[in-house]
Amino acid sequence: MTKMMVVEDEKILREGICLVGDWNSNGVEICAAVSNGQEALDIIEEKKPDIVLTDVVMPVMDGLELTKKLYEKYPEIRVILLSGHEEFQFVKKAMEYKACNYLLKPAKIERLIEVVGSVKDELESERHLKEKLEQSVPIVREHYINQLLSGTEYDEEHIRQQFDFLNIPIDRSNPVVMICELDGYHENRVEMQLALMQLKELCTGIVGNEYQSMVVEDIKDREVVIVNLPRGMNSKDFTLYLQGKAVRIQKEMKRKTGKTVSVGISRIVSDISRLSKAYREAEKALNYRFFMGMETIIFIGDIEREKHGDWVAVKEREDALAESIQVGDIDGTRQNVIRYFDKLGEYAVYGQEFIFEKINTFISYLLRYLSVESPVERKDVNEKLNGLFDILACREKCPTMAGLEQSVEEVLSEVAKVINNNRLLRNEGIIERAKKYIRGNLAGDVSLITVSEYVFVSPNYLSFLFKENGENFKDYVVRIKMERARELMEMGTLTLNQIAAELGYKDGRYLSQVYKKYWR
């Protein structure tokens, strides 16, 4: 219901407006009726009207002064003026104070109801729009931050205005990015979304309780924490602080959901316009989870030598390409070769020799950078990379930039494929060793934790490998035990209790229950 206050010094008119108009059926409640502007101001806080219908000429405080004071202190209140012909100069002045409408006396009640109804509709439309805006602000805010993370460029004034409008709860100076990602493969999308909600709540509570920060979800289903370097704290201490917070997030997430989280942390950048650089650093740090295992925390400064000054664009493309090769991402390698050569093409003014020298230097870097466990694969990788040196040494094999790009893409994609196959084989070896241990220790402890310790991986990772292989860990253990139980029963040389002991069950009765349930 829209609330309206009537301000009119003539009692008959004041009461007539209140009584004659069928206000309730038109969605309007008369919350007060007073005789001058001062009386209206005295009760305005208590009554909280949405509309003030006021005469212009009144004792003590006239309608013009009332309109002015309402405009200054309560700009959301709409004012409708009632005036005579001789008072119209006052109406013109009141319009400067945003009076929304006026009616000439004597006004018919139907016309008055029509004007008030029009103002009421405008108010309700504005309220609805405001509610929708308030509901959408968190979404718009998160979308805008994701644009900054992705590298969308805005000038400083645009960023300042958006931060103010969207009420973004971080400063624009000295931000650092921390990416938190659930470990492993999550087949159940609903379960994953619930876990992400829990992770976001933990990140917000654990980091945001002490310092200015904001948590957004990126397009890769990761929680991105942006937090400002506090005044008076140096960058080294702040990095240690963030690592401590990351440990708390991991512990609480594991306690509440049983899921593990890995975290990548960037260096501090100078201002919010460089947020995408911090995001890429945190993402790069997070990618080292492939080498360091699940449930890990990686600070970018711990895995690469500190760079002096800004990275040049070519070096950034080289780093991205090297990462995609190292993790065995074949498609990513192809895409990053294209991006790398796009950037190299901008340096054509330096001549062909410069381009070849840059690629030579990069290949030399790859020989040192790439980590391959198997000696056989290491040899294969080295041979392929050294083959590129031969191509680069023979200019006739690459007469154009496009030809050189094609040759580099073919070789580096093959290198990524070798590394990917090496990892797959390693994972297969882990599964085989786990299965062998289970088959040889059916009478003992073949729990996920025990077996994962035996093959030197985390329980979550071993569980993930079994699922990837088509059968989860628990189902495999039960199947092997039941198949062995059937073999021993068919032999007929052992009692049921003896078979139960052979398979790690407490007694024959329990084994019988499990056996019948499995084979029925």
Side-chain angles (χ1 to χ4, degrees):
M1 187 77 74
T2 300
K3 296 166 68 175
M4 183 172 74
M5 177 185 288
V6 178
V7 187
E8 169 61 65
D9 61 322
E10 294 184 36
K11 184 177 180 181
I12 294 176
L13 286 176
R14 184 169 67 247
E15 292 179 351
I17 290 170
C18 295
L19 297 174
V20 176
D22 188 8
W23 296 110
N24 283 340
S25 63
N26 286 279
V28 178
E29 173 195 347
I30 304 295
C31 64
V34 295
S35 62
N36 61 67
Q38 186 58 55
E39 288 181 8
L41 284 179
D42 289 344
I43 62 172
I44 204 85
E45 289 281 0
E46 176 191 349
K47 300 299 182 180
K48 294 183 170 53
D50 302 298
I51 300 171
V52 171
L53 175 66
T54 179
D55 191 7
V56 173
V57 179
M58 295 179 294
V60 185
M61 180 186 291
D62 62 25
L64 180 61
E65 184 67 16
L66 173 62
T67 301
K68 179 174 184 249
K69 290 186 179 297
L70 289 176
Y71 171 70
E72 291 171 348
K73 195 169 182 182
Y74 308 100
E76 71 280 2
I77 295 177
R78 300 301 178 89
V79 176
I80 300 173
L81 296 169
L82 290 169
S83 70
H85 286 284
E86 68 278 6
E87 301 158 4
F88 193 69
Q89 68 272 21
F90 295 109
V91 173
K92 290 170 64 178
K93 185 67 177 175
M95 290 302 175
E96 296 178 13
Y97 302 123
K98 307 299 181 185
C100 65
N101 216 322
Y102 69 92
L103 288 166
L104 292 175
K105 292 181 178 179
K108 292 184 177 181
I109 193 65
E110 294 83 2
R111 176 59 180 158
L112 181 57
I113 291 173
E114 179 187 345
V115 170
V116 172
S118 175
V119 174
K120 177 183 78 73
D121 290 344
E122 288 179 14
L123 281 170
E124 289 177 350
S125 178
E126 285 185 10
R127 284 184 192 130
H128 181 63
L129 185 62
K130 186 178 179 182
E131 287 173 3
K132 288 183 68 175
L133 182 61
E134 287 174 350
Q135 291 170 2
S136 66
V137 161
I139 299 171
V140 176
R141 183 191 297 138
E142 190 155 320
H143 176 70
Y144 184 71
I145 291 297
N146 265 296
Q147 286 183 311
L148 294 177
L149 292 172
S150 68
T152 304
E153 294 183 3
Y154 297 108
D155 60 51
E156 186 176 340
E157 179 60 21
H158 178 276
I159 293 174
R160 185 192 66 76
Q161 290 176 356
Q162 289 299 306
F163 266 57
D164 291 343
F165 175 69
L166 296 173
N167 195 26
I168 294 175
I170 52 175
D171 286 338
R172 298 190 300 278
S173 61
N174 299 324
V176 61
V177 170
M178 184 167 75
I179 301 177
C180 303
E181 184 172 25
L182 295 170
D183 289 325
Y185 175 73
H186 301 278
E187 195 172 272
N188 188 322
R189 184 72 184 174
V190 174
E191 182 183 325
M192 187 191 75
Q193 287 300 324
L194 290 173
L196 283 172
M197 290 172 62
Q198 182 73 67
L199 180 57
K200 187 170 189 175
E201 183 179 320
L202 286 173
C203 290
T204 301
I206 290 173
V207 179
N209 277 344
E210 293 187 36
Y211 296 112
Q212 283 185 303
S213 65
M214 182 177 180
V215 182
V216 300
E217 188 173 310
D218 69 7
I219 60 172
K220 298 180 181 179
D221 294 324
R222 303 178 301 199
E223 300 305 328
V224 181
V225 184
I226 305 163
V227 57
N228 298 108
L229 172 68
R231 295 184 182 220
M233 183 180 289
N234 62 51
S235 59
K236 184 177 179 181
D237 289 343
F238 191 48
T239 298
L240 292 174
Y241 156 80
L242 287 179
Q243 289 173 331
K245 294 299 181 186
V247 170
R248 277 193 60 196
I249 290 169
Q250 286 181 327
K251 287 182 177 178
E252 286 298 303
M253 190 66 184
K254 195 169 187 178
R255 182 179 68 83
K256 291 186 176 184
T257 69
K259 298 185 183 298
T260 62
V261 174
S262 289
V263 182
I265 304 173
S266 75
R267 297 186 185 89
I268 298 163
V269 292
S270 57
D271 59 74
I272 207 73
S273 66
R274 301 181 65 79
L275 193 63
S276 63
K277 179 179 186 294
Y279 177 70
R280 291 195 303 273
E281 284 191 354
E283 190 170 43
K284 181 176 181 179
L286 187 61
N287 284 341
Y288 272 76
R289 174 179 50 184
F290 287 101
F291 321 120
M292 300 173 69
M294 303 293 183
E295 201 175 7
T296 189
I297 299 167
I298 313 108
F299 169 55
I300 188 68
D302 292 337
I303 59 175
E304 66 177 28
R305 192 172 298 170
E306 183 73 22
K307 305 296 187 297
H308 297 285
D310 293 335
W311 290 359
V312 297
V314 171
K315 183 65 172 70
E316 289 181 337
R317 302 290 171 91
E318 287 176 346
D319 288 344
L321 178 53
E323 283 182 56
S324 60
I325 297 170
Q326 177 65 83
V327 299
D329 183 355
I330 300 168
D331 290 336
T333 296
R334 293 193 180 105
Q335 291 299 316
N336 280 315
V337 167
I338 293 171
R339 295 188 185 105
Y340 178 45
F341 271 82
D342 284 345
K343 185 57 63 177
L344 280 179
E346 297 176 11
Y347 293 84
V349 66
Y350 291 98
Q352 184 183 23
E353 289 301 320
F354 173 82
I355 301 297
F356 276 79
E357 187 57 36
K358 284 295 296 180
I359 298 172
N360 261 310
T361 303
F362 178 58
I363 302 305
S364 298
Y365 166 73
L366 286 180
L367 283 167
R368 301 189 306 272
Y369 172 83
L370 296 178
S371 172
V372 184
E373 295 178 6
S374 166
V376 175
E377 276 74 23
R378 175 78 263 177
K379 181 181 178 183
D380 194 6
V381 166
N382 287 351
E383 286 178 354
K384 292 182 186 302
L385 292 177
N386 283 319
L388 267 181
F389 285 128
D390 296 336
I391 294 172
L392 293 168
C394 185
R395 300 290 192 265
E396 291 77 13
K397 293 183 179 180
C398 301
T400 65
M401 188 79 160
L404 178 60
E405 179 179 342
Q406 184 178 350
S407 297
V408 171
E409 180 185 323
E410 289 174 354
V411 173
L412 295 187
S413 296
E414 283 297 314
V415 171
K417 184 176 180 180
V418 168
I419 292 174
N420 186 53
N421 290 341
N422 180 44
R423 290 217 172 92
L424 292 175
L425 288 171
R426 177 177 176 272
N427 288 343
E428 289 175 5
I430 291 171
I431 293 174
E432 286 307 312
R433 283 191 288 125
K435 288 181 176 179
K436 184 177 180 181
Y437 178 87
I438 292 167
R439 290 193 299 269
N441 293 273
L442 292 177
D445 182 3
V446 287
S447 65
L448 180 61
I449 293 175
T450 299
V451 178
S452 65
E453 288 176 350
Y454 176 78
V455 295
F456 301 106
V457 296
S458 70
N460 284 342
Y461 187 64
L462 181 60
S463 177
F464 169 72
L465 291 182
F466 266 84
K467 288 179 182 178
E468 283 286 279
N469 208 40
E471 184 177 26
N472 70 44
F473 180 88
K474 183 179 179 181
D475 289 346
Y476 175 79
V477 172
V478 172
R479 179 171 64 82
I480 294 300
K481 286 189 175 186
M482 292 301 98
E483 289 175 353
R484 181 58 178 159
R486 184 164 62 179
E487 291 173 5
L488 293 173
M489 288 179 186
E490 289 174 352
M491 290 170 60
T493 58
L494 297 177
T495 66
L496 197 57
N497 282 335
Q498 288 173 327
I499 295 174
E502 286 278 328
L503 299 176
Y505 292 109
K506 58 184 180 181
D507 55 45
R509 183 179 179 184
Y510 180 73
L511 170 61
S512 179
Q513 292 174 353
V514 176
Y515 186 89
K516 289 177 182 177
K517 184 178 179 181
Y518 184 85
W519 290 112
R520 70 181 177 186

